């Protein structure tokens, strides 16, 4: 895969099975490289893969396709493509299931900002959605263009006023709305707090459960509660007062109301001030509020990143959900049978070395978007009428492979023994040709995420350029025991103290590359580079301050100074949840584990990449490292990407993604191949 082959990537997502099980909707995102944008379209397919678009023509994206309860109508979001200014509003529309795509749909409502969630009421008369509600004091009336100099000063009273990729959010709170599913209806707001999410209708359609942090100290304790609000209020009335459903202190998301109305399922972070923890699936009794079941004993993360969706009720007592397991993301079913907690009885619907990105099941039909190390994510469908076996319906991998002229390279799994005797799961990718090859050690972000069984475009580009690729899931990664993820908490913690970042995780990644060099004769151990983004960038910066093992390094969107990061990030104040103390009380703990502290020992040729609009790891993190190295007489290379946020490598402008890849490959060619 060459950098320009970013234009061949295809992303399948968001499957939804129609009532009756005979049709499935999903979205397909492609890249228009010349236009420097992404194109997303909602499609409907039958069980044999015969598909049609939900709307044709125009310069807009369609997504969030949702079937009405009777299966006769689809609700769909239509929004301007890539935020183009020609059409500033997003539209929720409905259309008959059997309508021709060229026929104009019925517009329900136009919105200043696109919804992030959309669902029909159980009786099919209304739609509920989550969308941001811009404050006109800052953003003007709908359709008004306001210059910054004409905008009043913002009054800040809490943390978390901005979000990477979103800019300011406190003056654009996410609200829960309900609207009649008819032409030109007026949406009615049901929430008035700082940010609603993860809603679910009650089966009788009279109430909606949703998640929101409505207490004043939410930005200190990071708790997010479940609330229930009346969905039947008079349209002229102000929002109803929601009723608290859960006790404060935990962080809930992704709600799902059982079809018999007796239970509500949710994903839960049980200790948001004591991280990381596995995301748990929990089930509450609606009548009593008691938690009846939890996946705590699974000791696996049930809130995968990215791609977690609400657990899906499969009858009154069974739930479908994803979990992370050693690089895989299986789809499992659990029987909710043990009030008060206890062991989980799991059935694996999709397992093996694969990753499920989205799923749905209804009326005997299962739809799942499944990827693997040698396959892009494809829509798979299993139905009794077609034999009951999962079959790939889409052909994204074939189209991608045809466009780039080769198939994705499959990795070789191996294990490395770390300094304390623990085994670390690793993978090595061999490029085409005769070795030994210069090699790139890649380190993932997070740190509580995982590498695994997906096609990773970065690796495929490095392979095409003639580099072998090595990666692993060191301590701090998700996908393993909770103790594995918590092993790099700071020593300052009284409970579960760890080594801190740059401790045992450093030993793990070094064991990975040393084992790969010793095991694979096609890896040239004298020509090895290291790179990563976010936490992976942190580890890259840390590594070159503690060893001269690598010929060259690329630190991208990195945290280099944890002390200033805790002041400047959009999640400023959150690092205390892993460090165990605030930067006010223990600044030495932040500096002890900051790469910038060891900058005098950095002699490895370094490439620094950063986005100028990165709010998660602001641009000063790169500037501090670059300026200090230059003052020490070193020669770092620094590239800044305007208009991009923390997600440049995944969701940035396609042309910037191409340029970024070319910069990285050119840098490592000069230092590993041409040296």
């Amino acid at each position: 895969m060459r950098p320009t082959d970013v234009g061949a990537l295809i992303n399948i997502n968001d499957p939804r099975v129609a009532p009756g099980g005979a049709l499935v909707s999903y979205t397909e995102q492609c890249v228009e490289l010349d236009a420097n944008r992404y194109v997303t379209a909602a499609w409907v397919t039958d069980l044999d893969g015969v598909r049609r678009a939900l709307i044709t023509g125009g310069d807009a994206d369609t997504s969030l396709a949702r079937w009405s309860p009777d299966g006769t109508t689809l609700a769909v979001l239509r929004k301007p493509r890539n935020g183009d200014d020609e059409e500033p509003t997003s539209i929720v529309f409905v259309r008959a299931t059997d309508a021709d795509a060229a026929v104009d749909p019925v517009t329900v409502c136009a919105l200043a900002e696109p919804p992030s969630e959309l669902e029909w009421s159980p009786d099919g008369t209304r739609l509920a959605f989550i969308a941001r509600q811009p404050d006109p004091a800052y953003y003007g009336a709908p359709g008004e263009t306001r210059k910054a100099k004409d905008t009043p000063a913002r009054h800040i009273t809490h943390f978390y006023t901005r979000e990477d990729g979103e800019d300011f959010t406190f003056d654009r709170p996410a609200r829960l709305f309900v609207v009649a599913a008819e032409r030109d209806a007026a949406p009615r707001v049901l929430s008035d707090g700082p940010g609603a999410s993860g809603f679910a209708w009650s089966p009788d359609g009279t109430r909606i459960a949703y998640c929101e942090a409505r207490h004043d100290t939410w930005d200190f304790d990071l708790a997010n509660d479940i609330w229930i609000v009346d969905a039947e209020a008079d349209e002229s009335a102000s929002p109803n007062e929601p009723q608290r459903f859960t006790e404060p202190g935990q962080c809930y998301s992704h709600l799902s109301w059982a079809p018999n109305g007796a239970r509500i399922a949710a994903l839960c972070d049980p200790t948001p001030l004591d991280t990381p923890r596995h995301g748990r699936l929990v089930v509450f009794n609606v009548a009593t509020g008691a938690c009846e079941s939890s996946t705590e004993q699974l000791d696996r993360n049930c809130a995968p990143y990215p791609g977690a969706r609400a657990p899906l009720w499969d009858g009154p007592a069974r739930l479908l959900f994803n979990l992370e397991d050693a690089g895989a993301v299986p789809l499992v079913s659990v029987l909710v049978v043990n009030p008060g907690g206890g062991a989980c009885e799991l059935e694996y619907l999709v397992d093996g070395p694969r990753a499920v990105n989205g799923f749905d099941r209804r009326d005997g039909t299962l739809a799942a978007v499944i990827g693997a190390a040698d396959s892009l994510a494809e829509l798979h469908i299993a139905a009794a009428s077609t034999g009951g076996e999962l079959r790939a319906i889409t052909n994204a991998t074939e189209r991608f492979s045809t466009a780039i002229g080769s198939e994705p390279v499959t990795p070789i799994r191996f294990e490395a023994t770390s300094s304390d005797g623990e085994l670390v799961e690793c993978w090595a990718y061999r490029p085409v040709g005769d070795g030994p090859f210069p090699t790139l050690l890649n380190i993932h972000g997070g740190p509580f995420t995982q590498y695994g069984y997906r096609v990773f475009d970065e690796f495929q580009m490095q392979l095409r350029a003639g580099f072998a690729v090595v990666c692993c899931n060191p301590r701090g990664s998700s996908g393993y025991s909770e103790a594995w993820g918590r092993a790099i908490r700071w020593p300052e913690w009284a409970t579960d103290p760890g080594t801190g970042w740059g401790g045992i995780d450093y030993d793990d990644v070094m064991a990975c590359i040393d084992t790969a060099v010793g095991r694979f004769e096609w890896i040239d151990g004298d020509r090895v580079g290291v790179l990563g983004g976010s936490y992976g960038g942190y580890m890259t910066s840390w590594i070159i301050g503690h060893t001269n093992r690598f010929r060259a390094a690329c630190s991208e969107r990195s945290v280099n100074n944890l002390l200033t990061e805790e002041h400047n990030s959009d999640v400023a104040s959150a690092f205390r949840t892993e460090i165990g103390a605030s930067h006010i009380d223990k600044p030495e703990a932040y500096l002890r584990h900051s790469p910038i502290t060891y900058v005098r020992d950095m002699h490895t040729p370094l490439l620094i990449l950063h986005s100028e609009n990165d709010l998660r790891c602001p641009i000063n993190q790169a500037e501090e490292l670059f300026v200090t190295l230059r003052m020490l007489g070193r020669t770092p290379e620094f590239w800044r990407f305007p208009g991009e946020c923390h997600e440049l490598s995944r969701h940035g402008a396609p042309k910037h993604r191409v340029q970024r890849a070319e910069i990285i490959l050119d840098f490592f060619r000069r230092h590993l191949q041409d040296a």
Side-chain angles (χ1 to χ4, degrees):
M1 182 178 176
R2 309 171 193 84
T4 53
D5 290 331
V6 164
L9 289 171
I10 300 166
N11 181 29
I12 306 292
N13 210 339
D14 197 24
R16 289 294 188 275
V17 179
L23 297 172
V24 177
S25 65
Y26 65 97
T27 60
E28 179 179 293
Q29 184 189 73
C30 300
V31 180
E32 290 185 351
L33 193 55
D34 290 341
N36 200 25
R37 65 186 184 183
Y38 300 92
V39 175
T40 303
W43 293 82
V44 169
T45 180
D46 64 18
L47 304 186
D48 293 321
V50 178
R51 69 175 192 164
R52 60 184 176 86
L54 290 183
I55 189 170
T56 59
D59 194 31
D61 290 330
T62 50
S63 61
L64 290 180
R66 298 293 182 261
W67 300 94
S68 63
D70 62 6
T72 64
T73 309
L74 276 159
V76 185
L77 170 65
R78 183 177 186 269
K79 63 179 181 179
R81 187 157 289 160
N82 268 19
D84 293 341
D85 295 332
E86 290 79 4
E87 188 181 1
T89 57
S90 297
I91 294 170
V92 175
F93 70 79
V94 295
R95 71 177 316 125
T97 303
D98 57 0
D100 186 273
V103 176
D104 289 337
V106 173
T107 297
V108 173
C109 59
L111 303 166
E113 300 208 31
S116 58
E117 304 174 41
L118 176 68
E119 297 293 343
W120 287 87
S121 63
D123 64 2
T125 63
R126 293 158 295 158
L127 292 161
F129 59 88
I130 300 282
R132 294 197 177 278
Q133 187 177 47
D135 186 340
Y138 298 110
Y139 299 97
E144 177 185 351
T145 300
R146 177 168 294 185
K147 296 179 180 179
K149 67 178 182 179
D150 299 322
T151 301
R154 288 183 167 93
H155 183 202
I156 307 298
T157 59
H158 288 72
F159 302 136
Y160 310 113
T161 58
R162 300 181 299 163
E163 184 178 332
D164 186 69
E166 289 277 357
D167 204 1
F168 282 99
T169 54
F170 85 102
D171 51 11
R172 300 162 46 237
R175 295 277 163 79
L176 173 64
F177 293 84
V178 66
V179 63
E182 58 190 35
R183 186 183 299 275
D184 298 327
R188 180 165 48 88
V189 65
L190 295 184
S191 69
D192 59 0
S197 65
F199 75 88
W201 285 93
S202 65
D204 63 5
T206 62
R207 296 175 293 169
I208 297 177
Y210 70 100
C211 300
E212 190 165 46
R214 296 176 59 84
H215 55 294
D216 189 58
T217 59
W218 62 268
D219 60 330
F220 273 102
D221 57 39
L222 306 182
N224 200 37
D225 302 311
I226 299 175
W227 300 80
I228 297 179
V229 66
D230 183 4
E232 299 284 349
D234 184 342
E235 291 187 11
S236 63
S238 59
N240 289 338
E241 186 66 26
Q243 301 300 307
R244 179 190 290 275
F245 181 71
T246 51
E247 293 298 319
Q250 303 190 53
C251 183
Y252 296 100
S253 65
H254 299 84
L255 305 186
S256 184
W257 208 314
N260 64 3
R263 297 182 176 99
I264 291 176
L267 298 182
C268 172
D269 177 352
T271 58
L273 290 179
D274 181 0
T275 61
R277 289 283 189 192
H278 283 160
R280 298 174 186 171
L281 172 62
V282 293
V283 179
F284 290 97
N285 184 296
V286 173
T288 66
C291 181
E292 291 188 342
S293 184
S294 168
T295 58
E296 178 180 0
Q297 292 191 6
L298 278 180
D299 203 15
R300 285 295 183 271
N301 181 35
C302 299
Y305 175 84
R309 67 154 289 181
L312 178 66
W313 287 96
D314 196 24
R318 199 159 199 97
L319 282 162
L320 308 185
F321 64 101
N322 289 130
L323 56 83
E324 292 181 317
D325 190 16
V329 184
L331 175 62
V332 301
S333 173
V334 63
L335 184 63
V336 184
V337 294
N338 191 1
C344 299
E345 298 181 11
L346 292 185
E347 174 190 348
Y348 282 75
L349 281 71
V350 180
D351 59 2
R354 298 186 288 179
V356 176
N357 298 340
F359 62 91
D360 196 29
R361 181 151 78 174
R362 184 185 297 194
D363 296 334
T365 297
L366 171 67
V369 175
I370 306 170
D374 59 354
S375 170
L376 297 183
E378 304 278 15
L379 175 64
H380 291 68
I381 297 177
S385 61
T386 58
E389 296 294 323
L390 277 169
R391 299 181 301 123
I393 297 298
T394 54
N395 63 345
T397 306
E398 179 183 349
R399 292 154 58 193
F400 172 73
S401 298
T402 299
I404 70 172
S406 63
E407 296 180 351
V409 176
T410 303
I412 301 168
R413 180 190 174 278
F414 67 100
E415 292 179 332
T417 302
S418 193
S419 58
D420 61 352
E422 289 284 349
L423 295 179
V424 181
E425 190 160 28
C426 311
W427 293 268
Y429 296 72
R430 176 175 178 160
V432 175
D434 297 325
F437 303 100
T439 300
L440 297 178
L441 172 65
N442 286 257
I443 305 174
H444 68 61
F448 198 60
T449 57
Q450 64 169 1
Y451 278 140
Y453 299 103
R454 291 183 169 95
V455 173
F456 192 25
D457 59 332
E458 310 249 352
F459 293 175
Q460 301 300 321
M461 285 186 276
Q462 293 166 20
L463 289 161
R464 183 65 177 257
F467 298 98
V469 173
V470 175
C471 66
C472 67
N473 286 332
R475 245 70 65 94
S477 301
S478 58
Y480 304 87
S481 69
E482 197 169 75
W484 187 269
R486 288 166 71 83
I488 58 171
R489 286 153 51 88
W490 261 243
E492 276 70 15
W493 277 102
T495 58
D496 296 341
T499 65
W501 294 4
I504 195 65
D505 47 349
Y506 169 84
D507 292 349
D508 289 353
V509 297
M510 296 302 291
C512 170
I513 189 61
D514 289 343
T515 301
V517 169
R519 174 170 175 171
F520 303 110
E521 72 283 354
W522 40 269
I523 287 179
D524 186 342
D526 293 327
R527 292 186 295 159
V528 180
V530 60
L531 71 161
S534 196
Y535 164 79
Y538 165 94
M539 279 299 296
T540 300
S541 297
W542 179 270
I543 284 170
I544 64 172
H546 289 78
T547 180
N548 294 320
R549 169 75 174 80
F550 298 92
R551 282 273 194 97
C554 172
S555 178
E556 181 177 13
R557 59 182 186 275
S558 173
V559 179
N560 292 306
N561 186 335
L562 282 159
L563 192 59
T564 55
E565 172 77 359
E566 189 70 324
H567 288 95
N568 299 331
S569 172
D570 63 340
V571 293
S573 80
F575 287 89
R576 63 194 164 99
T577 68
E578 190 153 345
I579 292 171
S582 75
H583 62 299
I584 301 169
D585 295 331
K586 294 274 186 160
E588 66 276 10
Y590 290 72
L591 290 174
R592 185 179 68 239
H593 291 273
S594 291
I596 198 75
T597 301
Y598 309 94
V599 68
R600 290 183 181 275
D601 297 319
M602 296 182 186
H603 299 279
T604 304
L606 179 64
L607 173 64
I608 302 171
L609 301 179
H610 222 98
S611 297
E612 293 186 344
N613 290 357
D614 190 336
L615 299 181
R616 187 59 41 86
C617 300
I619 189 71
N620 70 284
Q621 292 293 319
E623 292 168 335
E624 289 183 41
L625 185 59
F626 174 77
V627 169
T628 309
L629 285 170
R630 282 289 295 161
M631 290 186 68
L632 290 171
R634 318 287 159 72
T635 57
E637 300 182 31
F638 182 18
W639 292 80
R640 305 167 59 114
F641 286 84
E644 298 292 354
C645 68
H646 196 66
E647 296 297 302
L648 165 62
S649 64
R650 294 177 282 259
H651 307 299
K655 289 185 178 179
H656 274 164
R657 289 178 64 183
V658 171
Q659 184 185 19
R660 169 191 167 275
E662 290 173 339
I663 291 169
I664 292 172
L665 295 177
D666 173 71
F667 175 80
F668 282 114
R669 283 192 189 102
R670 286 186 279 117
H671 290 281
L672 301 184
Q673 291 180 337
D674 300 338

